[in-house]
């Protein structure tokens, strides 16, 4: 059975994209893809989540100029966050068109991708899709929901043990709504236990503003917040109000 490769092209260059499609087809791969949609300030981001669910590998074609656009970078980070949650950290993602030197080592999702030239892309994809991906148990759940017209939400929660409350704090962006509910979809309504807003935390000299709740979260439950703006990083985990030694995790964009 052919392996499916999904291609996301940020530059609407049909000639280049067609040449890459044709080259990858010669390796016996089922190649599908799209041009990355531009950010809509009124509606938000449109991500290829459903298509990536069915793919065995993801190829991102992006030139330096497109990568410099903050909306492109952030929407790509959101999609990478989703695919890592859906497929695991070992799902093969290749970026072609920019050098790894453009990406800071601490960027959680972009630094984990493999950067390669189009000349060797087919060979690398063939090798990557032939492997059996190991299952790695995650300590926590970190996902996003970018819904046109509804907004961009981050979702966090436990994968195994219960959390005594939950908190999300952002640097570089604001939070304007939150809720608790089953993992995987935004809650329609929620009962919040001792919710709080505007908690200030400082990590490595950077100020974060956090919202949280004291609800106990089981493995299938999540805490959700809606963001305004583009964050530089996110701090999240159990609420530090009940547990001063609560372990907090950090993700850089």
């Amino acid at each position: 059975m052919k392996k499916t490769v999904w291609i996301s092209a940020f530059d609407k260059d049909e000639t280049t994209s067609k040449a890459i499609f044709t080259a990858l087809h010669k390796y016996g791969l089922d190649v599908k893809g799209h041009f990355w949609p531009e950010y809509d300030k009124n509606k938000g981001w449109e991500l290829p989540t459903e298509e990536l669910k069915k793919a065995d590998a993801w190829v991102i074609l992006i030139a330096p100029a497109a990568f410099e656009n903050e909306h492109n970078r952030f929407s790509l980070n959101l999609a990478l966050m989703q695919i890592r949650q859906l497929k695991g950290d070992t799902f093969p993602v290749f970026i072609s068109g920019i050098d790894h030197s453009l990406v800071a080592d601490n960027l959680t999702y972009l630094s984990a991708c493999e950067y390669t030239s189009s000349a060797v892309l087919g060979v690398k994809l063939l090798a990557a899709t032939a492997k059996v991906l190991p299952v790695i148990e995650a300590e926590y759940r970190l996902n996003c929901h970018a819904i046109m017209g509804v907004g961009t939400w981050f979702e966090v929660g436990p994968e195994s043990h219960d959390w005594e409350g939950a908190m999300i704090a952002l640097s570089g962006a604001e939070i304007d709504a939150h809720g608790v509910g089953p993992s995987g979809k935004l809650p329609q309504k929620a009962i919040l236990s001792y919710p709080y807003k505007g908690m200030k935390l400082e990590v490595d000299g950077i100020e974060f503003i956090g919202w949280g709740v004291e609800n106990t979260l089981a493995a299938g439950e999540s805490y959700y917040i809606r963001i305004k703006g583009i964050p530089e990083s996110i701090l999240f985990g159990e609420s530090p109000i009940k547990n001063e030694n609560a372990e907090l995790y950090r993700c850089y964009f």
Side-chain angles (χ1 to χ4, degrees), residues 1 35 126 158 171:
M1 185 175 179
F35 289 117
L126 207 59
S171 68

Side-chain angles (χ1 to χ4, degrees), residues 133-219:
L133 300 182
V135 178
I136 300 174
E137 186 175 341
E139 297 180 60
Y140 55 80
R141 175 170 49 260
L142 173 59
N143 202 358
C144 68
H145 303 269
I147 303 173
M148 300 286 278
V150 176
T152 302
W153 296 72
F154 284 139
E155 171 192 358
V156 303
E159 287 287 17
S160 53
H161 66 284
D162 293 356
W163 280 7
E164 293 303 319
M167 184 203 69
I168 300 177
L170 302 179
S171 68
E174 298 178 4
I175 302 170
D176 70 352
H178 63 170
V180 171
S183 63
K185 60 180 180 180
L186 296 181
Q188 297 301 309
K189 59 180 181 178
I191 297 174
L192 303 181
S193 176
Y194 299 103
Y196 54 89
K197 306 174 183 179
M199 175 185 280
K200 293 185 178 180
L201 304 95
E202 187 173 312
V203 179
D204 297 332
I206 298 172
E207 184 178 81
F208 290 80
I209 305 297
W211 288 29
V213 292
E214 295 304 299
N215 301 58
T216 297
L217 299 184

Side-chain angles (χ1 to χ4, degrees), residues 2 10 17 24 56 76 94 100 116 154 159 167 174 178-180 200-201 212 231 248:
K2 285 185 176 182
F10 278 79
S17 298
L24 295 183
D56 297 295
L76 181 54
F94 295 91
H100 192 279
T116 185
F154 284 139
E159 287 287 17
M167 184 203 69
E174 298 178 4
H178 63 170
V180 171
K200 293 185 178 180
L201 304 95
L248 298 177

Side-chain angles (χ1 to χ4, degrees), residues 23-198:
L24 295 183
H25 273 298
K26 293 179 181 178
Y27 286 89
L29 298 166
D30 183 13
V31 187
K32 301 175 182 179
H34 70 145
F35 289 117
W36 197 265
E38 293 182 4
Y39 169 66
D40 187 319
K41 67 179 181 179
N42 296 315
K43 295 182 179 180
W45 286 276
E46 182 181 352
L47 306 177
T49 314
E50 293 303 314
E51 293 84 355
L52 287 171
K53 285 181 181 178
K54 307 165 190 173
D56 297 295
W58 185 17
V59 174
I60 298 155
L61 307 178
I62 186 167
F67 187 74
E68 289 173 3
N69 182 305
E70 65 174 356
H71 293 114
N72 285 343
R73 286 197 311 275
F74 188 58
S75 60
L76 181 54
N77 271 303
L78 293 178
L80 286 166
M81 179 185 288
Q82 287 185 339
I83 198 61
R84 295 304 182 198
Q85 179 62 39
L86 290 167
K87 296 276 199 175
D89 290 339
T90 57
F91 178 77
V93 180
F94 295 91
I95 295 182
S96 183
I98 61 172
D99 188 80
H100 192 279
S101 61
L102 290 178
V103 180
D105 290 337
N106 67 342
L107 297 183
T108 305
Y109 296 105
L110 287 168
S111 64
C113 300
E114 182 169 349
Y115 293 75
T116 185
S117 69
S118 58
V120 296
L121 185 56
V123 174
K124 287 183 174 288
L125 281 168
L126 207 59
T129 55
K131 295 178 182 177
V132 177
L133 300 182
V135 178
I136 300 174
E137 186 175 341
E139 297 180 60
Y140 55 80
R141 175 170 49 260
L142 173 59
N143 202 358
C144 68
H145 303 269
I147 303 173
M148 300 286 278
V150 176
T152 302
W153 296 72
F154 284 139
E155 171 192 358
V156 303
E159 287 287 17
S160 53
H161 66 284
D162 293 356
W163 280 7
E164 293 303 319
M167 184 203 69
I168 300 177
L170 302 179
S171 68
E174 298 178 4
I175 302 170
D176 70 352
H178 63 170
V180 171
S183 63
K185 60 180 180 180
L186 296 181
Q188 297 301 309
K189 59 180 181 178
I191 297 174
L192 303 181
S193 176
Y194 299 103
Y196 54 89
K197 306 174 183 179

